[in-house]
Amino acid sequence: MKLRKYLIFTLLILVLLTSTAYAEIPYSSYTYDYWGNPVPAPAPYVPTRLIDGTSLGIGAFNNASDMFVSSAGKIYIADTGNNRIVVLNDKWEVERIVDKFERNGEEQTFKAPQGVFITDEEHLYVADTGNGRIVELDENNNFVREIGKPVNEIIPADFEYKPTALVVDRAKRLYVVAAGVNQGLMEFDSEGNFRTYMGAPRVSVNMYLYFIRLFYTEEMLARTTDFVPTEYNNVKMDEDGFIYVTTSTISVYDIQGAVSARSTDDRVSPVRKLNPTGKDILRRRGYFPPVGDVQFYSRGYAEGGQSLLVDVCTDKYGIYSVLDNKRGRIFTYDGDSNILFIFGGRGNRLGTFNNPVALDKIGENFIVLDKSVSGYGQITVFEPTDYGRLVLQAVYYHNEGKYDEATACWEEVLKYNANSELAYIGMGKAALDQDDFYTAMKYFRLGNKRDYYSKAFKLYRKEVLSRYFGIIAAVILLLAVGIYIRTKRTGRREVEA
Amino acid sequence: MEVLRGLRYVTYLIFHPFNGFWDLKHEKRGNLGSALVLVALLSITYILRRQATGFIFNTVNLLQLNIMVEILSVVLPFLLWCISNWCLTTLMDGEGSFKDIVITTAYALSPLILINLPMILVSNVITVDEGAFYYFFISLSTVWAAGLMLVGTSVVHQYSMTKAFLTCICIIIGIGLIIFIGLLFFSLLQQIFWFIWTVYQEISLRF
């Protein structure tokens, strides 16, 4: 009898100790807490597939630099080095390859196209960088129009026009990012005429530089660099028609300054959300501005320095993700720029990159285009884990006003990740709605949310005061009477003396 | 007893700084013991402020709070101020001895204790909306202490107000200099140490 028990116990131990098969994720996911410390988090997305030109049977990609998922679910890849646009269907099969088109009976080709955009009617816009033009083709590869070099008195005649990325809004206006332009996006009207520059970043003037320049001679001034706005490197449009732009030219000192000041200013921001007038309307309510990594080694170390954001990808309710080219990470923020996920990394394994350049979403999956070391491009597909889905679902519910469902999600999220400040804040908000102020305070404290804590505390204080009003009033009354009697007595004693 | 008497004098001094500092020095109203107690109290106040201030107003990461560091961040500036003060005022015909300077400085910092201690309690029962009240008193204590410091410097060394003000600025510059020289000294010491260490290693590995 005893032996059998012993045997069963041993077997149980053995079963528990045998490792189950699981795919190891080659990166560690994390988020940043209120103090700016990286806090480990469960993986929100896991890499599942790797696709490259060879496996598609169309020859290796060569410096492919952009990727676009159309509303019909087709994937367009700007295969820059091969001068072609590759179109894949939603099953990752090659549908067609656009490398030439017919214009007035004359055959034309692309030259190093770096950007693609697809309208809802499945019209293809190509930023034909090498030819200095934008080409619109319809869904059957027929030429529609060409938008060439912008002509305007504010553009110098010797300006070399190299469009690298573009979006087209519902009114058929074009917003183009061109190399070497720091006045913002180039806006073209539906006719293809250059209208104006829009959305140039505001210039931040450094107090020290401003002061020191007062003492510079003409010659010295001429030799210093001017205060110029930063150049944009990519542009995307969300479903509401707002334009997201990224830049990677902000200095590491400005980024560090913005982080340590918890800046909500749009001047030092590698990602911006522009409304049609070119004003930045990105909500920066997170604990830190959306600059990618908040903590990093200084320059000089391997992989040191600020994140270099090269692409942005939007989701419902203002949720957006940015791609860091330096450390190969993807940062997902909610509509208030609270950090949701950080995942990805540098390396040669599935799920890591060497030179990631484009980020997009197919349904709930992320796809990342990596130029690789030698330009041999490959696309990695990331699928969300249960944890990733839960967090997103909670944010969706919250934005839809379904607070009970959101709370249930956050509760579930906390089971996966007890460090999630956002989950605590979500729970706190729910407790606040249910007039459970003390619990709300507890959650807001865990989530380091001081303004909401203050709100909950105010209500809790009121509750406590009204509950114990009788006792408090009685104590004050007793004290007053006591002091009154005491002063009278001592006064009498003084008179007697 | 002597110490307690000296501490009670604080309540008179902070409201009558000119007479207060004069009597502090010439009538022996304060003593070194009470001054050191004041510095200790200031350290305790500072730690309490960092640790026990209400969550809404407390921006310190409590997980990383180190009491030794907090004490040092009170005592070190205090000592630096006193030393720099003494160095400068001996050159500038100041009349105060080092002991006088220590006592004066400690007494001048007393508003920080008197106001900040109750503010720790208050910060636990007020909300963000009433924050202006909190921040007002915190800055009041700082300004008050700075004012007392200025008056104290002028009285203890028998300086005019202008001279005292300029001296205070010089003292701050002096503090910077002391820190600079200190760092220089330590880094030099470190290099000498490493030089000797590498020579030793070189020799010991060779034979």
Side-chain angles (χ1 to χ4, degrees):
Chain A
M1 199 59 208
K2 208 178 173 188
L3 188 77
R4 228 172 83 184
K5 242 185 198 168
Y6 188 70
L7 259 173
I8 290 172
F9 184 71
T10 326
L11 264 174
L12 206 80
I13 293 278
L14 277 175
V15 167
L16 285 176
L17 283 181
T18 39
S19 58
T20 43
Y22 69 99
E24 201 192 325
I25 302 157
Y27 47 78
S28 42
S29 304
Y30 59 99
T31 54
Y32 283 105
D33 69 358
Y34 175 81
W35 308 106
N37 296 321
V39 179
Y45 286 85
V46 286
T48 52
R49 261 190 92 170
L50 193 70
I51 291 122
D52 59 16
T54 326
S55 73
L56 290 167
I58 50 169
F61 293 131
N62 185 0
N63 277 318
S65 49
D66 197 13
M67 200 169 55
F68 196 97
V69 178
S70 74
S71 47
K74 289 180 191 166
I75 302 137
Y76 291 71
I77 299 152
D79 192 1
T80 311
N82 290 331
N83 301 322
R84 63 182 179 180
I85 310 295
V86 176
V87 187
L88 309 175
N89 65 16
D90 49 4
K91 293 182 194 67
W92 293 99
E93 292 155 354
V94 179
E95 195 177 273
R96 61 193 161 104
I97 292 174
V98 187
D99 50 2
K100 54 183 182 291
F101 55 90
E102 210 164 273
R103 181 186 182 185
N104 307 329
E106 175 199 351
E107 199 176 85
Q108 291 201 342
T109 55
F110 301 119
K111 192 172 165 196
Q114 284 190 23
V116 280
F117 182 88
I118 289 83
T119 61
D120 287 344
E121 299 89 56
E122 215 63 23
H123 276 218
L124 167 66
Y125 283 80
V126 180
D128 194 2
T129 313
N131 287 328
R133 62 177 179 178
I134 284 154
V135 177
E136 182 186 354
L137 304 175
D138 74 1
E139 64 275 26
N140 299 320
N141 221 5
N142 297 317
F143 176 81
V144 181
R145 61 177 171 150
E146 174 191 310
I147 298 142
K149 185 179 167 180
V151 187
N152 197 292
E153 59 262 35
I154 59 172
I155 296 169
D158 58 347
F159 169 66
E160 206 176 323
Y161 179 53
K162 283 187 179 303
T164 56
L166 79 155
V167 291
V168 182
D169 71 2
R170 281 177 199 137
K172 296 270 170 278
R173 280 182 301 234
L174 272 76
Y175 301 92
V176 178
V177 172
V181 171
N182 57 21
Q183 290 98 320
L185 298 171
M186 298 182 123
E187 183 183 334
F188 294 83
D189 65 14
S190 50
E191 311 286 296
N193 302 314
F194 176 79
R195 302 291 298 190
T196 178
Y197 288 111
M198 74 88 89
R202 289 194 293 150
V203 176
S204 55
V205 178
N206 186 318
M207 271 308 275
Y208 169 72
L209 275 179
Y210 191 82
F211 178 74
I212 205 84
R213 278 166 75 105
L214 292 176
F215 303 98
Y216 276 12
T217 59
E218 290 278 320
E219 212 174 307
M220 284 160 93
L221 271 179
R223 261 193 266 163
T224 56
T225 48
D226 286 328
F227 296 122
V228 290
T230 44
E231 272 174 44
Y232 291 138
N233 58 23
N234 216 327
V235 59
K236 280 286 171 69
M237 184 171 274
D238 74 358
E239 54 180 20
D240 300 319
F242 292 114
I243 296 165
Y244 286 76
V245 281
T246 51
T247 173
S248 53
T249 53
I250 298 175
S251 80
V252 65
Y253 307 107
D254 285 344
I255 296 273
Q256 275 167 336
V259 166
S260 58
R262 298 178 188 270
S263 159
T264 55
D265 199 284
D266 68 302
R267 272 173 289 194
V268 183
S269 182
V271 54
R272 309 175 84 224
K273 179 182 183 179
L274 307 174
N275 70 4
T277 61
K279 200 171 166 291
D280 182 277
I281 54 157
L282 189 66
R283 284 165 63 89
R284 294 183 181 84
R285 300 285 166 81
Y287 291 144
F288 292 99
V291 295
D293 271 318
V294 167
Q295 250 187 37
F296 44 80
Y297 285 116
S298 44
R299 273 193 304 199
Y301 284 89
E303 289 189 28
Q306 77 277 35
S307 296
L308 297 181
L309 306 188
V310 291
D311 201 0
V312 57
C313 167
T314 62
D315 194 353
K316 278 189 285 189
Y317 310 121
I319 299 171
Y320 62 97
S321 308
V322 289
L323 178 67
D324 171 13
N325 176 273
K326 182 171 276 169
R327 282 176 287 265
R329 288 176 187 155
I330 294 141
F331 299 80
T332 303
Y333 297 93
D334 74 359
D336 284 342
S337 297
N338 292 307
I339 186 80
L340 296 178
F341 317 122
I342 305 171
F343 65 97
R346 274 185 87 93
N348 297 314
R349 294 166 67 184
L350 175 65
T352 56
F353 323 106
N354 278 302
N355 185 11
V357 288
L359 171 75
D360 218 320
K361 249 187 151 178
I362 308 180
E364 58 177 1
N365 296 350
F366 272 118
I367 51 173
V368 178
L369 175 63
D370 183 9
K371 261 190 192 175
S372 255
V373 184
S374 53
Y376 172 81
Q378 48 197 23
I379 298 168
T380 312
V381 183
F382 288 89
E383 275 176 25
T385 59
D386 289 347
Y387 170 74
R389 277 200 196 98
L390 264 175
V391 172
L392 281 179
Q393 196 58 52
V395 177
Y396 293 159
Y397 278 142
H398 184 82
N399 279 288
E400 285 156 7
K402 295 177 182 162
Y403 298 117
D404 292 344
E405 286 91 334
T407 313
C409 280
W410 285 128
E411 220 170 341
E412 203 64 28
V413 166
L414 281 178
K415 287 180 191 163
Y416 285 92
N417 180 8
N419 290 326
S420 172
E421 283 176 336
L422 269 182
Y424 286 122
I425 294 166
M427 297 287 291
K429 281 179 183 166
L432 197 58
D433 276 346
Q434 286 154 11
D435 287 354
D436 189 354
F437 307 126
Y438 190 74
T439 317
M441 276 163 63
K442 197 183 84 190
Y443 280 126
F444 288 137
R445 205 183 176 117
L446 284 167
N448 268 312
K449 193 80 180 157
R450 282 169 170 73
D451 45 350
Y452 275 92
Y453 177 89
S454 174
K455 266 182 208 169
F457 177 69
K458 194 175 190 177
L459 293 162
Y460 176 69
R461 189 177 65 181
K462 200 169 149 194
E463 197 183 78
V464 169
L465 281 180
S466 59
R467 192 187 301 154
Y468 297 112
F469 180 73
I471 298 170
I472 293 165
V475 166
I476 291 173
L477 207 72
L478 273 175
L479 271 176
V481 170
I483 290 166
Y484 178 70
I485 290 171
R486 206 187 135 93
T487 46
K488 236 182 168 183
R489 253 198 215 149
T490 48
R492 201 178 297 150
R493 229 178 273 151
E494 267 161 26
V495 173
E496 278 165 9
Chain B
M1 240 24 248
E2 194 80 337
V3 172
L4 272 182
R5 197 175 55 83
L7 286 182
R8 235 189 356 247
Y9 187 61
V10 164
T11 47
Y12 173 79
L13 181 132
I14 57 172
F15 292 110
H16 309 86
F18 287 96
N19 286 334
F21 280 117
W22 181 265
D23 290 353
L24 190 70
K25 187 181 168 189
H26 295 97
E27 306 280 319
K28 297 271 180 276
R29 286 301 184 84
N31 49 56
L32 198 61
S34 53
L36 294 182
V37 169
L38 277 175
V39 175
L41 278 176
L42 186 66
S43 306
I44 293 168
T45 315
Y46 189 67
I47 295 167
L48 278 178
R49 214 183 123 188
R50 306 269 284 178
Q51 173 76 46
T53 296
F55 175 69
I56 299 168
F57 300 98
N58 198 342
T59 47
V60 183
N61 190 351
L62 295 182
L63 293 174
Q64 290 172 357
L65 196 77
N66 183 343
I67 288 181
M68 285 335 246
V69 172
E70 304 301 319
I71 291 175
L72 270 185
S73 59
V74 173
V75 174
L76 211 65
F78 176 81
L79 282 180
L80 278 174
W81 173 274
C82 290
I83 293 167
S84 175
N85 192 331
W86 180 78
C87 290
L88 271 162
T89 49
T90 11
L91 296 176
M92 292 163 72
D93 305 323
E95 302 216 329
S97 65
F98 187 69
K99 189 180 152 194
D100 290 337
I101 292 169
V102 169
I103 295 174
T104 312
T105 311
Y107 272 78
L109 291 172
S110 51
L112 293 181
I113 306 170
L114 290 174
I115 296 183
N116 287 359
L117 263 181
M119 285 327 274
I120 295 168
L121 288 178
V122 169
S123 73
N124 277 289
V125 291
I126 60 173
T127 63
V128 168
D129 309 337
E130 296 123 19
F133 168 80
Y134 173 79
Y135 292 120
F136 169 74
F137 277 100
I138 293 291
S139 28
L140 178 75
S141 70
T142 319
V143 172
W144 198 341
L148 286 182
M149 203 77 107
L150 185 65
V151 175
T153 311
S154 106
V155 171
V156 81
H157 298 304
Q158 297 233 32
Y159 284 169
S160 70
M161 222 35 181
T162 341
K163 194 174 176 190
F165 183 72
L166 289 175
T167 312
C168 282
I169 291 172
C170 289
I171 289 170
I172 291 167
I173 297 169
I175 289 174
L177 265 171
I178 292 174
I179 292 173
F180 174 70
I181 292 168
L183 287 178
L184 210 67
F185 178 71
F186 278 113
S187 95
L188 211 68
L189 216 62
Q190 206 180 11
Q191 283 187 11
I192 291 171
F193 171 76
W194 281 117
F195 174 71
I196 294 168
W197 177 246
T198 40
V199 168
Y200 162 73
Q201 272 196 324
E202 188 77 13
I203 293 167
S204 69
L205 290 172
R206 200 159 285 253
F207 300 109

